[in-house]
Amino acid sequence: MVKSLKRGPELYSGKAKTIYLTEDDHFLIMHYRDDATAFNAQKKESFSRKGLVNNYFNAYIMGKLQEAGISTHFEQLLSDHESLVKRLNMIPLECVVRNVATGSLVKRLGVQEGLSLEPPILEFFLKDDSLGDPAVNDSHIHTFKWATDEQVAQMKRISLEVNELLKPLFLNAGMILIDYKLEFGLFGDSLMLGDEFTPDGCRIWDAVTFKKMDKDRFRQDLGNLIETYEEVAERLGIKIPNATSLCDS
Protein backbone atom coordinates (compact mmCIF):
# COMPACT_ATOMS: atom_id res chain seq x y z
CA MET A 1 0.00 0.00 0.00
CA VAL A 2 2.73 2.44 0.93
CA LYS A 3 4.52 1.99 -2.41
CA SER A 4 1.38 3.00 -4.34
CA LEU A 5 0.98 6.40 -2.69
CA LYS A 6 0.89 9.23 -5.20
CA ARG A 7 2.30 12.72 -4.83
CA GLY A 8 -0.32 15.31 -3.95
CA PRO A 9 -0.23 19.10 -3.49
CA GLU A 10 2.87 20.88 -2.21
CA LEU A 11 2.90 21.27 1.56
CA TYR A 12 6.12 23.20 2.06
CA SER A 13 9.18 24.30 0.10
CA GLY A 14 12.42 24.79 2.02
CA LYS A 15 15.94 25.77 1.02
CA ALA A 16 16.78 22.53 -0.81
CA LYS A 17 13.73 20.26 -0.46
CA THR A 18 10.04 20.42 -1.31
CA ILE A 19 7.53 18.43 0.74
CA TYR A 20 4.35 17.07 -0.83
CA LEU A 21 1.19 15.61 0.65
CA THR A 22 0.03 12.12 -0.31
CA GLU A 23 -3.36 10.45 -0.30
CA ASP A 24 -2.50 9.07 3.16
CA ASP A 25 -2.31 11.76 5.86
CA HIS A 26 0.37 9.73 7.68
CA PHE A 27 2.92 10.02 4.87
CA LEU A 28 4.66 12.72 2.86
CA ILE A 29 6.91 12.78 -0.18
CA MET A 30 10.23 14.56 0.23
CA HIS A 31 11.66 15.91 -3.02
CA TYR A 32 15.38 16.77 -3.03
CA ARG A 33 16.07 19.69 -5.34
CA ASP A 34 19.42 20.62 -6.90
CA ASP A 35 19.59 23.88 -4.94
CA ALA A 36 22.41 24.80 -2.58
CA THR A 37 22.09 27.64 -0.08
CA ALA A 38 24.31 29.14 2.60
CA PHE A 39 24.26 31.98 5.11
CA ASN A 40 20.52 31.71 5.71
CA ALA A 41 19.87 31.45 1.95
CA GLN A 42 21.73 34.68 1.14
CA LYS A 43 23.97 32.61 -1.15
CA LYS A 44 22.19 30.37 -3.64
CA GLU A 45 23.17 28.20 -6.60
CA SER A 46 21.96 25.09 -8.39
CA PHE A 47 24.14 22.02 -9.00
CA SER A 48 23.21 19.16 -11.31
CA ARG A 49 22.78 15.84 -9.46
CA LYS A 50 22.83 17.39 -5.99
CA GLY A 51 19.25 16.34 -5.20
CA LEU A 52 19.87 12.82 -6.47
CA VAL A 53 23.06 12.40 -4.45
CA ASN A 54 21.50 13.72 -1.25
CA ASN A 55 18.41 11.55 -1.67
CA TYR A 56 20.46 8.34 -1.92
CA PHE A 57 22.91 9.47 0.75
CA ASN A 58 20.09 10.12 3.22
CA ALA A 59 18.41 6.80 2.43
CA TYR A 60 21.66 4.96 3.19
CA ILE A 61 22.33 6.73 6.48
CA MET A 62 18.74 6.45 7.67
CA GLY A 63 18.84 2.75 6.82
CA LYS A 64 21.98 2.28 8.91
CA LEU A 65 20.35 4.06 11.84
CA GLN A 66 17.17 2.01 11.52
CA GLU A 67 19.19 -1.21 11.45
CA ALA A 68 20.69 -0.13 14.78
CA GLY A 69 17.24 0.38 16.30
CA ILE A 70 16.94 4.16 15.93
CA SER A 71 13.50 5.22 14.70
CA THR A 72 13.39 7.61 11.74
CA HIS A 73 10.69 9.00 9.49
CA PHE A 74 12.28 7.48 6.38
CA GLU A 75 10.21 4.82 4.62
CA GLN A 76 11.66 4.19 1.16
CA LEU A 77 13.15 5.67 -1.98
CA LEU A 78 10.54 6.46 -4.61
CA SER A 79 12.73 7.88 -7.37
CA ASP A 80 16.08 9.53 -7.92
CA HIS A 81 14.90 12.73 -6.26
CA GLU A 82 12.08 11.58 -3.99
CA SER A 83 11.60 9.56 -0.81
CA LEU A 84 8.52 8.57 1.15
CA VAL A 85 8.59 9.64 4.82
CA LYS A 86 6.26 9.54 7.78
CA ARG A 87 4.48 12.79 8.50
CA LEU A 88 5.87 14.04 11.82
CA ASN A 89 4.79 16.83 14.11
CA MET A 90 8.21 18.47 14.11
CA ILE A 91 9.86 19.87 17.23
CA PRO A 92 11.25 23.36 16.40
CA LEU A 93 14.79 22.55 17.49
CA GLU A 94 18.05 21.46 15.89
CA CYS A 95 20.34 19.14 17.87
CA VAL A 96 23.95 19.76 16.90
CA VAL A 97 26.65 17.28 17.92
CA ARG A 98 30.27 18.48 17.62
CA ASN A 99 33.27 16.15 17.60
CA VAL A 100 35.81 18.72 16.41
CA ALA A 101 35.79 22.49 16.95
CA THR A 102 35.03 24.52 13.83
CA GLY A 103 32.42 26.89 12.44
CA SER A 104 30.27 28.89 14.84
CA LEU A 105 31.75 27.19 17.92
CA VAL A 106 35.17 28.70 17.14
CA LYS A 107 33.65 32.12 16.48
CA ARG A 108 31.52 32.11 19.64
CA LEU A 109 34.01 30.68 22.12
CA GLY A 110 37.40 31.47 20.60
CA VAL A 111 38.57 27.87 20.81
CA GLN A 112 41.17 26.47 18.45
CA GLU A 113 40.02 25.34 15.01
CA GLY A 114 40.37 21.57 14.72
CA LEU A 115 40.41 20.95 18.48
CA SER A 116 39.16 17.43 19.23
CA LEU A 117 36.18 17.57 21.57
CA GLU A 118 36.00 14.74 24.10
CA PRO A 119 33.32 14.19 25.14
CA PRO A 120 31.48 15.63 22.15
CA ILE A 121 29.48 18.82 22.63
CA LEU A 122 25.71 18.76 22.11
CA GLU A 123 23.91 22.04 21.51
CA PHE A 124 20.32 23.04 20.78
CA PHE A 125 19.31 25.73 18.29
CA LEU A 126 15.85 27.15 17.72
CA LYS A 127 14.71 26.60 14.13
CA ASP A 128 13.81 30.12 13.06
CA ASP A 129 15.46 31.56 9.96
CA SER A 130 14.23 35.07 10.77
CA LEU A 131 16.22 34.94 14.03
CA GLY A 132 19.25 33.19 12.54
CA ASP A 133 18.56 29.89 14.36
CA PRO A 134 19.77 31.10 17.79
CA ALA A 135 21.40 28.80 20.36
CA VAL A 136 19.10 27.84 23.22
CA ASN A 137 19.43 25.68 26.33
CA ASP A 138 17.27 23.30 28.34
CA SER A 139 15.86 26.17 30.37
CA HIS A 140 14.63 28.01 27.26
CA ILE A 141 13.12 24.80 25.91
CA HIS A 142 11.34 24.07 29.20
CA THR A 143 10.01 27.61 29.73
CA PHE A 144 8.79 28.13 26.17
CA LYS A 145 7.47 24.56 25.95
CA TRP A 146 9.19 23.74 22.65
CA ALA A 147 9.62 20.18 23.94
CA THR A 148 8.99 18.29 27.17
CA ASP A 149 11.84 17.46 29.53
CA GLU A 150 11.41 13.80 28.59
CA GLN A 151 11.67 14.63 24.88
CA VAL A 152 14.80 16.71 25.49
CA ALA A 153 16.37 13.78 27.30
CA GLN A 154 15.41 11.46 24.43
CA MET A 155 16.81 13.83 21.80
CA LYS A 156 20.10 14.06 23.66
CA ARG A 157 20.35 10.29 24.07
CA ILE A 158 19.51 9.53 20.44
CA SER A 159 21.81 12.27 19.10
CA LEU A 160 24.75 10.76 20.96
CA GLU A 161 23.76 7.23 19.93
CA VAL A 162 23.84 8.41 16.32
CA ASN A 163 27.33 9.75 16.96
CA GLU A 164 28.55 6.40 18.30
CA LEU A 165 27.21 4.70 15.18
CA LEU A 166 28.33 7.15 12.51
CA LYS A 167 31.76 8.26 13.74
CA PRO A 168 33.33 4.82 13.15
CA LEU A 169 31.38 4.41 9.90
CA PHE A 170 33.02 7.53 8.49
CA LEU A 171 36.40 6.86 10.07
CA ASN A 172 36.56 3.39 8.55
CA ALA A 173 36.07 5.13 5.20
CA GLY A 174 38.97 7.52 5.85
CA MET A 175 36.87 10.48 6.99
CA ILE A 176 36.19 12.39 10.21
CA LEU A 177 32.61 13.23 11.13
CA ILE A 178 33.27 16.73 12.45
CA ASP A 179 29.75 17.74 13.41
CA TYR A 180 26.13 17.33 12.30
CA LYS A 181 22.61 18.46 13.02
CA LEU A 182 19.54 16.34 13.69
CA GLU A 183 15.87 17.22 13.81
CA PHE A 184 13.15 15.32 15.61
CA GLY A 185 9.39 15.02 15.46
CA LEU A 186 6.48 13.03 16.82
CA PHE A 187 4.65 10.29 14.94
CA GLY A 188 1.70 9.89 17.24
CA ASP A 189 3.39 9.58 20.64
CA SER A 190 6.68 8.25 19.23
CA LEU A 191 9.70 10.53 18.98
CA MET A 192 11.84 9.86 15.92
CA LEU A 193 14.42 11.42 13.62
CA GLY A 194 13.06 13.58 10.83
CA ASP A 195 14.49 15.77 8.06
CA GLU A 196 17.71 14.38 6.50
CA PHE A 197 21.31 13.34 7.07
CA THR A 198 23.42 14.47 4.12
CA PRO A 199 26.64 16.44 3.54
CA ASP A 200 24.41 19.54 3.53
CA GLY A 201 23.79 19.17 7.27
CA CYS A 202 27.08 17.86 8.59
CA ARG A 203 30.81 18.53 8.32
CA ILE A 204 33.16 15.85 7.02
CA TRP A 205 36.96 16.07 6.67
CA ASP A 206 39.39 13.67 5.06
CA ALA A 207 41.13 11.90 7.93
CA VAL A 208 44.62 12.44 6.48
CA THR A 209 44.56 15.68 4.49
CA PHE A 210 41.68 17.36 6.40
CA LYS A 211 40.13 18.25 3.04
CA LYS A 212 36.61 19.57 3.58
CA MET A 213 34.06 17.21 2.07
CA ASP A 214 30.73 18.89 2.87
CA LYS A 215 28.73 22.06 2.17
CA ASP A 216 31.65 24.17 3.41
CA ARG A 217 32.95 23.68 -0.13
CA PHE A 218 30.02 25.84 -1.26
CA ARG A 219 30.13 28.24 1.68
CA GLN A 220 33.85 28.88 1.19
CA ASP A 221 33.96 28.71 -2.63
CA LEU A 222 36.24 25.66 -2.61
CA GLY A 223 34.64 24.15 -5.72
CA ASN A 224 33.82 20.56 -6.75
CA LEU A 225 30.81 20.35 -4.45
CA ILE A 226 28.99 17.48 -6.13
CA GLU A 227 32.16 15.61 -7.05
CA THR A 228 33.13 15.71 -3.37
CA TYR A 229 29.67 14.62 -2.19
CA GLU A 230 29.93 11.68 -4.57
CA GLU A 231 33.40 10.86 -3.27
CA VAL A 232 32.03 10.72 0.28
CA ALA A 233 29.23 8.44 -0.90
CA GLU A 234 31.66 6.18 -2.79
CA ARG A 235 33.92 5.82 0.25
CA LEU A 236 30.92 4.81 2.37
CA GLY A 237 29.80 2.29 -0.21
CA ILE A 238 26.67 4.19 -1.25
CA LYS A 239 25.66 3.42 -4.80
CA ILE A 240 24.60 6.62 -6.55
CA PRO A 241 22.98 5.82 -9.89
CA ASN A 242 22.78 7.92 -13.00
CA ALA A 243 19.68 10.08 -13.07
CA THR A 244 18.05 7.70 -15.57
CA SER A 245 18.33 4.64 -13.35
CA LEU A 246 15.00 5.30 -11.65
CA CYS A 247 12.00 7.04 -13.10
CA ASP A 248 11.05 10.27 -11.33
CA SER A 249 7.40 10.47 -10.42
Side-chain angles (χ1 to χ4, degrees):
M1 181 197 76
V2 171
K3 290 184 179 181
S4 68
L5 293 179
K6 295 180 181 179
R7 189 170 82 182
E10 179 182 313
L11 176 64
Y12 169 77
S13 187
K15 295 172 184 175
K17 298 190 297 294
T18 303
I19 310 301
Y20 294 93
L21 297 169
T22 71
E23 55 203 299
D24 187 328
D25 289 341
H26 296 97
F27 296 95
L28 301 170
I29 290 175
M30 182 177 287
H31 179 95
Y32 289 79
R33 306 194 310 271
D34 287 337
D35 301 327
T37 67
F39 313 120
N40 205 10
Q42 293 179 29
K43 181 178 182 180
K44 301 178 183 178
E45 197 170 338
S46 182
F47 295 89
S48 177
R49 289 179 57 82
K50 179 175 179 292
L52 178 150
V53 172
N54 277 353
N55 188 28
Y56 279 86
F57 196 104
N58 179 69
Y60 178 85
I61 296 294
M62 291 292 180
K64 288 291 184 182
L65 298 179
Q66 289 171 344
E67 288 172 9
I70 294 175
S71 297
T72 87
H73 72 154
F74 178 80
E75 287 289 316
Q76 64 186 58
L77 285 167
L78 295 177
S79 69
D80 280 344
H81 284 263
E82 293 186 340
S83 288
L84 187 71
V85 298
K86 298 181 183 71
R87 184 174 186 172
L88 305 186
N89 181 18
M90 297 301 293
I91 292 172
L93 299 167
E94 293 179 350
C95 300
V96 175
V97 176
R98 303 182 185 276
N99 294 308
V100 176
T102 192
S104 66
L105 187 71
V106 172
K107 294 178 182 178
R108 285 185 284 129
L109 303 182
V111 297
Q112 179 184 349
E113 174 90 12
L115 178 69
S116 181
L117 304 173
E118 186 59 44
I121 291 174
L122 190 152
E123 299 179 302
F124 285 107
F125 294 83
L126 178 65
K127 278 189 63 63
D128 190 322
D129 287 342
S130 67
L131 298 175
D133 298 334
V136 295
N137 59 33
D138 294 31
S139 182
H140 295 111
I141 297 169
H142 178 85
T143 296
F144 295 115
K145 298 179 173 57
W146 293 320
T148 67
D149 292 348
E150 180 182 357
Q151 288 165 352
V152 169
Q154 281 184 279
M155 288 188 287
K156 288 180 178 179
R157 176 180 56 78
I158 295 170
S159 295
L160 294 174
E161 286 180 2
V162 169
N163 204 38
E164 292 304 308
L165 287 164
L166 295 187
K167 271 182 64 178
L169 183 72
F170 279 84
L171 193 57
N172 288 339
M175 298 176 288
I176 304 169
L177 182 58
I178 301 296
D179 58 34
Y180 58 88
K181 75 172 182 69
L182 299 176
E183 296 182 28
F184 292 86
L186 295 168
F187 189 66
D189 294 328
S190 299
L191 183 79
M192 59 183 62
L193 280 177
D195 197 44
E196 65 176 83
F197 195 106
T198 71
D200 276 2
C202 64
R203 284 189 175 92
I204 306 159
W205 292 356
D206 182 272
V208 176
T209 66
F210 304 127
K211 168 188 170 182
K212 295 179 179 180
M213 307 183 73
D214 51 71
K215 200 166 75 169
D216 274 349
R217 303 200 65 81
F218 176 64
R219 296 185 186 100
Q220 300 173 17
D221 297 316
L222 298 175
N224 296 322
L225 180 73
I226 302 308
E227 294 86 348
T228 306
Y229 278 23
E230 291 186 321
E231 180 184 347
V232 173
E234 183 179 359
R235 290 194 192 188
L236 291 172
I238 304 172
K239 295 181 179 179
I240 307 293
N242 293 326
T244 55
S245 63
L246 293 173
C247 295
D248 278 340
S249 57

